Amino acid sequence: MKKILFAFTFMIAVCSFGQNNVEISIQQDARLFLVGDQKGNDPLTINFLSKIEVPVYSLKKSYFSTYISVEYADLVGKNFKRYALGAGYVVKSIYRKIGAGAYVDFGKIYRDKEGFSSISLSGELNYKINNRWKLICTQQLTHRKDLKVLYNSKNEYIISGFIGFKYSL
């Protein structure tokens, strides 16, 4: 809990001293929310992904950004927490109000008291509702060494689909 509190405090500090166009997002894993999985997690299982994204280099119709993220899942057995730092390339508009982004990050997964290094690749589509709000869909491929070590899983890579909102400060 202390790590989560530290991460959110750090996120607030970044926003307070950040530049224009800092974006905060909150997303939920769609599959876990709607249907659950075959591992005992029922529908409505919480799996939130939150990011604070800061543009670092702007181009005419796109920009490079950096971000910190926190993911928390209330899973059967051991809860899942992942903290990460990443970078991305975002195209503001690929068609009218639809934008897209590609991201890579490095993080740490915590299950119970054990920690595992992790890398993630993700792609995002967003729909601009107004100047501040966007509806976002993210597809994420994450290296999950925790599954092999804790559950003897043969698959160390998981694909997740998130749906949520992004807010521009």
Side-chain angles (χ1 to χ4, degrees):
M1 185 64 178
K2 289 180 183 177
K3 291 176 185 165
I4 292 173
L5 186 59
F6 173 75
F8 280 113
T9 304
F10 182 72
M11 287 180 181
I12 290 170
V14 167
C15 288
S16 298
F17 300 107
Q19 51 187 298
N20 291 338
N21 300 323
V22 173
E23 295 180 315
I24 299 175
S25 66
I26 184 79
Q27 303 172 63
Q28 165 67 39
D29 185 304
R31 180 178 46 109
L32 281 176
F33 187 74
L34 297 173
V35 296
D37 62 15
Q38 289 81 32
K39 299 172 185 147
N41 296 297
D42 296 326
L44 302 178
T45 297
I46 292 174
N47 185 6
F48 288 123
L49 173 63
S50 181
K51 287 184 183 179
I52 292 184
E53 189 174 341
V54 179
V56 291
Y57 186 75
S58 292
L59 303 166
K60 192 172 188 174
K61 296 182 181 181
S62 61
Y63 59 89
F64 291 94
S65 68
T66 186
Y67 65 91
I68 58 175
S69 70
V70 175
E71 183 178 351
Y72 173 80
D74 189 14
L75 304 175
V76 172
K78 299 176 181 175
N79 289 339
F80 172 90
K81 293 175 224 119
R82 182 172 187 270
Y83 305 93
L85 294 172
Y89 176 72
V90 178
V91 178
K92 295 175 189 175
S93 176
I94 58 173
Y95 180 74
R96 297 188 184 186
K97 292 185 173 189
I98 299 173
Y103 302 91
V104 62
D105 65 41
F106 180 77
K108 192 88 171 190
I109 293 173
Y110 294 95
R111 299 289 300 261
D112 206 17
K113 293 184 179 183
E114 298 188 53
F116 305 91
S117 295
S118 172
I119 192 164
S120 175
L121 301 171
S122 59
E124 173 186 293
L125 284 176
N126 62 64
Y127 177 79
K128 190 173 183 176
I129 299 169
N130 60 34
N131 287 338
R132 297 245 184 230
W133 288 96
K134 294 177 186 173
L135 175 65
I136 56 175
C137 298
T138 301
Q139 193 75 24
Q140 180 184 54
L141 174 67
T142 306
H143 178 248
R144 297 278 307 275
K145 187 176 178 184
D146 62 308
L147 297 176
K148 184 174 185 177
V149 172
L150 297 175
Y151 302 106
N152 204 23
S153 174
K154 293 180 183 177
N155 189 7
E156 289 187 53
Y157 295 90
I158 297 293
I159 295 176
S160 302
F162 293 89
I163 297 174
F165 293 96
K166 190 178 271 191
Y167 180 75
S168 261
L169 299 178

Short mmCIF file of all heavy atoms in Angstrom, two decimals, residues 110-133:
data_model
loop_
_atom_site.label_atom_id
_atom_site.label_comp_id
_atom_site.label_asym_id
_atom_site.label_seq_id
_atom_site.Cartn_x
_atom_site.Cartn_y
_atom_site.Cartn_z
N TYR A 110 4.64 -6.70 -8.70
CA TYR A 110 4.64 -7.21 -7.32
C TYR A 110 3.45 -8.13 -7.15
O TYR A 110 2.30 -7.75 -7.40
CB TYR A 110 4.57 -6.06 -6.31
CG TYR A 110 5.82 -5.22 -6.34
CD1 TYR A 110 5.88 -4.07 -7.11
CD2 TYR A 110 6.95 -5.60 -5.62
CE1 TYR A 110 7.04 -3.31 -7.16
CE2 TYR A 110 8.11 -4.83 -5.67
CZ TYR A 110 8.14 -3.70 -6.43
OH TYR A 110 9.29 -2.94 -6.49
N ARG A 111 3.72 -9.37 -6.74
CA ARG A 111 2.69 -10.33 -6.39
C ARG A 111 3.02 -10.78 -4.97
O ARG A 111 4.07 -11.34 -4.72
CB ARG A 111 2.71 -11.57 -7.30
CG ARG A 111 2.49 -11.32 -8.76
CD ARG A 111 1.09 -10.93 -9.14
NE ARG A 111 0.02 -11.84 -8.84
CZ ARG A 111 -0.53 -12.69 -9.71
NH1 ARG A 111 -0.07 -12.77 -10.93
NH2 ARG A 111 -1.54 -13.43 -9.34
N ASP A 112 2.11 -10.51 -4.05
CA ASP A 112 2.35 -10.77 -2.63
C ASP A 112 3.56 -9.93 -2.23
O ASP A 112 3.52 -8.72 -2.31
CB ASP A 112 2.55 -12.26 -2.39
CG ASP A 112 2.18 -12.67 -0.97
OD1 ASP A 112 1.49 -11.90 -0.29
OD2 ASP A 112 2.60 -13.76 -0.54
N LYS A 113 4.67 -10.56 -1.84
CA LYS A 113 5.85 -9.78 -1.45
C LYS A 113 7.00 -9.97 -2.43
O LYS A 113 8.10 -9.51 -2.19
CB LYS A 113 6.30 -10.19 -0.05
CG LYS A 113 5.30 -9.79 1.01
CD LYS A 113 5.79 -10.12 2.38
CE LYS A 113 4.76 -9.69 3.40
NZ LYS A 113 5.16 -9.90 4.76
N GLU A 114 6.74 -10.66 -3.54
CA GLU A 114 7.77 -10.93 -4.52
C GLU A 114 7.71 -9.91 -5.65
O GLU A 114 6.64 -9.48 -6.05
CB GLU A 114 7.61 -12.34 -5.08
CG GLU A 114 7.77 -13.41 -3.99
CD GLU A 114 7.79 -14.80 -4.57
OE1 GLU A 114 8.61 -15.04 -5.48
OE2 GLU A 114 7.00 -15.63 -4.12
N GLY A 115 8.89 -9.53 -6.17
CA GLY A 115 8.96 -8.56 -7.26
C GLY A 115 9.61 -9.16 -8.49
O GLY A 115 10.53 -9.98 -8.40
N PHE A 116 9.12 -8.77 -9.67
CA PHE A 116 9.62 -9.29 -10.94
C PHE A 116 9.74 -8.14 -11.93
O PHE A 116 8.82 -7.34 -12.07
CB PHE A 116 8.64 -10.33 -11.51
CG PHE A 116 8.33 -11.46 -10.58
CD1 PHE A 116 7.25 -11.37 -9.73
CD2 PHE A 116 9.12 -12.60 -10.56
CE1 PHE A 116 6.95 -12.41 -8.85
CE2 PHE A 116 8.83 -13.63 -9.69
CZ PHE A 116 7.75 -13.54 -8.84
N SER A 117 10.87 -8.08 -12.65
CA SER A 117 11.03 -7.08 -13.70
C SER A 117 10.10 -7.41 -14.86
O SER A 117 9.78 -8.56 -15.10
CB SER A 117 12.48 -7.06 -14.20
OG SER A 117 13.32 -6.63 -13.16
N SER A 118 9.70 -6.36 -15.58
CA SER A 118 8.72 -6.56 -16.64
C SER A 118 8.89 -5.50 -17.71
O SER A 118 9.27 -4.37 -17.43
CB SER A 118 7.31 -6.46 -16.03
OG SER A 118 6.34 -6.46 -17.02
N ILE A 119 8.59 -5.88 -18.95
CA ILE A 119 8.57 -4.94 -20.06
C ILE A 119 7.21 -5.06 -20.74
O ILE A 119 6.60 -6.13 -20.72
CB ILE A 119 9.73 -5.17 -21.06
CG1 ILE A 119 9.84 -4.01 -22.03
CG2 ILE A 119 9.60 -6.51 -21.75
CD1 ILE A 119 11.13 -3.95 -22.79
N SER A 120 6.74 -3.95 -21.29
CA SER A 120 5.42 -3.94 -21.90
C SER A 120 5.44 -3.11 -23.18
O SER A 120 6.09 -2.07 -23.24
CB SER A 120 4.41 -3.35 -20.91
OG SER A 120 3.16 -3.22 -21.49
N LEU A 121 4.72 -3.59 -24.18
CA LEU A 121 4.49 -2.85 -25.42
C LEU A 121 2.99 -2.64 -25.53
O LEU A 121 2.21 -3.54 -25.23
CB LEU A 121 4.96 -3.65 -26.63
CG LEU A 121 6.41 -4.06 -26.68
CD1 LEU A 121 6.65 -5.03 -27.83
CD2 LEU A 121 7.30 -2.85 -26.82
N SER A 122 2.58 -1.44 -25.94
CA SER A 122 1.14 -1.21 -26.06
C SER A 122 0.83 -0.24 -27.19
O SER A 122 1.66 0.57 -27.58
CB SER A 122 0.55 -0.70 -24.74
OG SER A 122 1.16 0.50 -24.34
N GLY A 123 -0.39 -0.38 -27.69
CA GLY A 123 -0.90 0.51 -28.71
C GLY A 123 -2.22 1.09 -28.22
O GLY A 123 -2.98 0.40 -27.53
N GLU A 124 -2.47 2.33 -28.56
CA GLU A 124 -3.67 3.01 -28.07
C GLU A 124 -4.39 3.70 -29.21
O GLU A 124 -3.77 4.31 -30.07
CB GLU A 124 -3.27 4.05 -27.03
CG GLU A 124 -4.40 4.94 -26.56
CD GLU A 124 -3.92 6.05 -25.64
OE1 GLU A 124 -3.49 5.73 -24.53
OE2 GLU A 124 -3.97 7.22 -26.07
N LEU A 125 -5.70 3.56 -29.22
CA LEU A 125 -6.56 4.37 -30.07
C LEU A 125 -7.37 5.27 -29.16
O LEU A 125 -7.82 4.82 -28.09
CB LEU A 125 -7.52 3.50 -30.90
CG LEU A 125 -6.93 2.78 -32.09
CD1 LEU A 125 -7.99 1.90 -32.74
CD2 LEU A 125 -6.37 3.76 -33.11
N ASN A 126 -7.54 6.52 -29.54
CA ASN A 126 -8.33 7.43 -28.71
C ASN A 126 -9.31 8.20 -29.57
O ASN A 126 -9.05 8.46 -30.75
CB ASN A 126 -7.43 8.36 -27.88
CG ASN A 126 -6.57 9.25 -28.74
OD1 ASN A 126 -7.07 10.09 -29.47
ND2 ASN A 126 -5.26 9.07 -28.66
N TYR A 127 -10.42 8.53 -28.97
CA TYR A 127 -11.44 9.34 -29.62
C TYR A 127 -11.61 10.61 -28.80
O TYR A 127 -11.97 10.55 -27.61
CB TYR A 127 -12.77 8.59 -29.71
CG TYR A 127 -13.87 9.43 -30.31
CD1 TYR A 127 -13.95 9.61 -31.68
CD2 TYR A 127 -14.81 10.06 -29.49
CE1 TYR A 127 -14.95 10.40 -32.23
CE2 TYR A 127 -15.82 10.84 -30.03
CZ TYR A 127 -15.88 11.00 -31.40
OH TYR A 127 -16.86 11.78 -31.94
N LYS A 128 -11.36 11.75 -29.41
CA LYS A 128 -11.42 13.04 -28.71
C LYS A 128 -12.88 13.47 -28.55
O LYS A 128 -13.56 13.78 -29.51
CB LYS A 128 -10.63 14.08 -29.50
CG LYS A 128 -10.43 15.37 -28.77
CD LYS A 128 -9.50 16.27 -29.56
CE LYS A 128 -9.22 17.54 -28.78
NZ LYS A 128 -8.27 18.39 -29.47
N ILE A 129 -13.36 13.46 -27.30
CA ILE A 129 -14.73 13.87 -26.98
C ILE A 129 -14.84 15.39 -27.00
O ILE A 129 -15.77 15.94 -27.57
CB ILE A 129 -15.16 13.30 -25.61
CG1 ILE A 129 -15.12 11.77 -25.65
CG2 ILE A 129 -16.52 13.82 -25.20
CD1 ILE A 129 -15.27 11.10 -24.30
N ASN A 130 -13.89 16.05 -26.34
CA ASN A 130 -13.79 17.52 -26.36
C ASN A 130 -12.33 17.88 -26.11
O ASN A 130 -11.46 17.02 -26.20
CB ASN A 130 -14.76 18.16 -25.34
CG ASN A 130 -14.51 17.73 -23.92
OD1 ASN A 130 -13.37 17.49 -23.51
ND2 ASN A 130 -15.57 17.61 -23.14
N ASN A 131 -12.04 19.14 -25.78
CA ASN A 131 -10.65 19.57 -25.60
C ASN A 131 -9.95 18.92 -24.42
O ASN A 131 -8.72 18.89 -24.36
CB ASN A 131 -10.57 21.09 -25.47
CG ASN A 131 -10.80 21.78 -26.80
OD1 ASN A 131 -10.62 21.18 -27.85
ND2 ASN A 131 -11.21 23.03 -26.75
N ARG A 132 -10.68 18.42 -23.46
CA ARG A 132 -10.09 17.83 -22.26
C ARG A 132 -10.21 16.31 -22.18
O ARG A 132 -9.35 15.66 -21.63
CB ARG A 132 -10.74 18.43 -21.01
CG ARG A 132 -10.51 19.91 -20.87
CD ARG A 132 -9.67 20.16 -19.65
NE ARG A 132 -9.53 21.58 -19.43
CZ ARG A 132 -8.36 22.13 -19.23
NH1 ARG A 132 -7.28 21.43 -19.22
NH2 ARG A 132 -8.29 23.42 -19.01
N TRP A 133 -11.28 15.74 -22.70
CA TRP A 133 -11.58 14.32 -22.52
C TRP A 133 -11.39 13.50 -23.79
O TRP A 133 -11.75 13.94 -24.87
CB TRP A 133 -13.01 14.13 -22.04
CG TRP A 133 -13.23 14.57 -20.64
CD1 TRP A 133 -13.71 15.78 -20.23
CD2 TRP A 133 -12.97 13.82 -19.46
NE1 TRP A 133 -13.77 15.82 -18.86
CE2 TRP A 133 -13.33 14.63 -18.35
CE3 TRP A 133 -12.48 12.54 -19.20
CZ2 TRP A 133 -13.21 14.21 -17.04
CZ3 TRP A 133 -12.36 12.12 -17.88
CH2 TRP A 133 -12.72 12.94 -16.83
#
